[in-house]
């Protein structure tokens, strides 16, 4: 069984990537919106980096999604991932 923090990192990355792609944004576009480097977005999306709460709010702003909606999506995906283990 994976550690909860590893699951959360994967779920956050998967969710950020799915929203970004749905909106037709490149990693570079999102990075620009969030004032971070493209590699930072990449590291989040592959689950190697866990963004701080402040960065999650920046990501939500760049993705034009309310943080509460983002966290709801994270919770749903986390529950799914947790069930599959």
């Amino acid at each position: 069984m994976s550690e909860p923090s590893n699951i959360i990192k994967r779920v956050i990355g998967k969710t950020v990537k799915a929203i970004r792609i749905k909106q037709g944004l490149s990693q570079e576009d999102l990075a620009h919106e969030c004032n971070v480097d493209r590699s930072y977005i990449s590291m989040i999306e592959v689950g190697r980096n866990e963004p701080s709460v402040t960065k999650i709010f920046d990501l939500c702003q760049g993705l034009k999604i309310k943080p509460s909606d983002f966290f709801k999506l994270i919770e749903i995906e986390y529950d799914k991932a947790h069930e599959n283990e």
Side-chain angles (χ1 to χ4, degrees):
M1 179 153 68
S2 292
E3 295 224 5
S5 64
N6 289 337
I7 295 171
I8 292 168
K9 282 194 254 186
R10 284 197 324 263
V11 167
I12 289 172
K14 177 181 173 183
T15 304
V16 167
K17 184 175 183 177
I19 296 168
R20 177 182 63 74
I21 289 171
K22 185 176 181 182
Q23 294 185 1
L25 295 171
S26 67
Q27 286 182 343
E28 190 73 41
D29 295 333
L30 181 56
H32 178 74
E33 290 292 320
C34 300
N35 293 317
V36 297
D37 193 71
R38 185 209 57 81
S39 63
Y40 180 75
I41 300 297
S42 176
M43 296 285 274
I44 290 171
E45 288 186 354
V46 298
R48 292 187 61 205
N49 203 335
E50 185 174 351
S52 67
V53 173
T54 304
K55 282 298 177 199
I56 288 174
F57 274 69
D58 290 344
L59 286 167
C60 289
Q61 185 173 1
L63 293 168
K64 296 172 181 52
I65 183 173
K66 293 192 309 189
S68 58
D69 292 337
F70 181 77
F71 281 108
K72 285 176 194 168
L73 292 171
I74 296 299
E75 183 179 13
I76 291 166
E77 290 300 318
Y78 177 81
D79 288 345
K80 284 181 192 173
H82 205 52
E83 288 171 3
N84 292 335
E85 295 216 343

